[in-house]
Amino acid sequence: MPKIFYPSSEKLKYLLESIHQREVALPDFQRDFVWEPRSTEELIESICQNYPAGSLLRIRNSKGFYFVPREFAGAPELKHHAPSYLILDGQQRLTSLYHAFYGTGNHCYFINLQKLIDDQDLEDCIFYLNNKEADKKFGSLQQQANALVFPLKTLFGVKNGFEKWLDEIIDLRPETGGDRVTLKAKLREVKESWLEPAEEYEFPVVTLDDNTSAAAVCTIFETLNRTGVKLSVFDLLAARFWTADVRLRDLWDIAKTNYPIIVDFEIDPYYILQAITIYTASTAPSCKRNDVLKMNVDQIKIGWNPIVKALAEILQMLRDDCGVILPQWLPYYTILIPAAATLAAVSSVTGPSVGAIRNKLKRWFWCSVFGQTYENSPNSQSVKDYSELKQWIAGGAEPQTVSNFSFDINLLRQTTPRQRAVYRGVIALILRHGAQDFHKGGRITASMMLDKKIDDHHIFPQAFLKDKFPSVSSTLRDCVLNRTLIDKDTNIRISKRAPSNYLQEIEQTIGTAELQTILRSHMLPDTPTSALCQDKFEDFLNERQQLIAAELETVTQ
């Protein structure tokens, strides 16, 4: 078998220049740049110390038929220019270094030469600032000269880099005569110790021959990234299906355009792939990672559109009927997998049966949330629910999640934001009940929550409880029974005041009837003699627990 790869090494400076000159690019299926600036800073520290930073994998693009190329983030647009090489592994590292040394991206990177002269550690001398802050603090040569801070974008991104910068800033320094000469020598020493390693740094590079088959390229790419856990399953399948003329990223972009609610809920496309896997299974369905990775092109062609449409409908149902109006109040993302697969499987149903299916799915949703069925083994639970939901909709027995549902309402006393599913379920239940805004009235909507910074806050303020009821545990103070959705302005006014005090103030402003309406909408006791209005915390917990229990019974029976 002929050799299909060739090891070599390339200087970092040359690689970055090749990106800038559009000679090195990416295959279009590669994921976007995702590194945080701190990761880039750490990589620069390694480069400046001449530490190994991994190897790169690329393929010759002379025949130009493997993959559609795209430029690196922040690099000049290709504009139909055919690059010589495509990077298969090393995108994140090269993109971050290109941003740092060519001054693109959202952050600027600097090295404090004065600290290096003072023998401080390199890790304390390399830093980054967002572009606005960087321009404010070190945007001018005079500011750089005053602090002896060198912008790394000057090293490769400007002709004669460091030497040009050095000549310019020395003239702006207060030193004269011999002191100026001494300072210039010290700065050159620092440059030799810490910047020349970056200028001379070489990456080991493995180059695939351009006679390598497209199928082999995808296999190499998938194996490399699976073992390194660098890409998601979606990325791996995007690479595999490329040669079959299925553009998974294009399908995802179209789905987000056609169904904006998918974007609103920050859906990971992996959930769509899992739903497709069980929806299109010819034998025993499964949506575990290995099974998704084994998915074939026909499954995508058959299942993508029905699942995407069904997922959007499920999200709309949760938003409209279940109070899950923002992604932060979705108890489980994995619950979407069987729900979308089930709805896709019964998409041919029309007439009044559509409403009956919707009601069954809503009941199953609430039973799943408060039954906490997705806390463990969610993939297995998804397959089980998919099978049982289809049977139930076809007239069979209720799913075990529904028929065996039970919930100890006293658990709400132990449910804090840490117990995410049940806690979010209660907040969604409150929103479903029609929770109104304490500040201006009216039912709380998603846009209102975002615009007015409505979030879950304490009803009996923590500071008040610590002062008046010091024996109350932190868990009880923070439990979901003592939480509801309150806008930022109201929460600031509440501060550490007793409920009787701040509720009286609200009542004087909006009237008794309106206040009672708002309290009822939050499943809070609303009479003047209630424990809430009398500042009786333990009695209040009992009263609210009963109100939430009644609402929970309504949605699960």
Side-chain angles (χ1 to χ4, degrees), residues 41 115 173 306 464 466 469 527:
E41 180 185 311
K115 288 185 176 182
R173 291 284 302 179
F464 169 79
K466 288 179 182 179
F469 302 98
T527 63

Side-chain angles (χ1 to χ4, degrees), residues 107-171:
H107 296 82
C108 290
Y109 295 82
F110 300 90
I111 184 167
N112 191 314
L113 303 180
Q114 181 63 65
K115 288 185 176 182
L116 288 174
I117 290 174
D118 295 338
D119 289 327
Q120 294 193 30
D121 291 338
L122 179 68
E123 289 79 5
D124 297 326
C125 301
I126 294 178
F127 64 98
Y128 64 88
L129 298 169
N130 64 55
N131 290 338
K132 184 177 181 181
E133 193 70 13
D135 188 61
K136 179 180 177 181
K137 290 187 174 181
F138 302 111
S140 70
L141 278 171
Q142 185 63 66
Q143 290 169 313
Q144 295 166 21
N146 292 344
L148 289 181
V149 166
F150 176 68
L152 289 177
K153 65 182 180 181
T154 302
L155 190 63
F156 296 151
V158 175
K159 188 176 181 179
N160 298 323
F162 182 84
E163 286 298 323
K164 180 176 184 295
W165 177 85
L166 180 58
D167 289 339
E168 290 174 338
I169 67 102
I170 281 292
D171 291 337

Side-chain angles (χ1 to χ4, degrees), residues 194-239:
W194 301 112
L195 293 177
E196 282 189 11
E199 290 180 317
E200 300 300 321
Y201 191 87
E202 294 188 5
F203 270 104
V205 179
V206 175
T207 304
L208 295 179
D209 187 83
D210 53 6
N211 289 317
T212 308
S213 70
V217 172
C218 285
T219 300
I220 293 167
F221 179 80
E222 179 180 337
T223 302
L224 173 74
N225 285 286
R226 187 191 301 136
T227 56
V229 199
K230 295 176 182 177
L231 296 180
S232 68
V233 171
F234 182 85
D235 295 315
L236 299 177
L237 290 179

Side-chain angles (χ1 to χ4, degrees), residues 15 58 71 89-90 105 125 155 293 297 313 365 367 470 536 542:
L15 289 166
R58 67 185 180 184
E71 64 275 359
D89 184 50
C125 301
L155 190 63
L293 280 170
V297 171
E313 291 178 3
F365 167 77
C367 290
K536 298 177 180 178
N542 291 332

Side-chain angles (χ1 to χ4, degrees), residues 82-98:
S84 300
Y85 295 96
L86 300 179
I87 297 294
L88 297 180
D89 184 50
Q91 175 202 8
Q92 302 297 319
R93 284 168 290 160
L94 287 177
T95 304
S96 65
L97 292 170
Y98 181 79

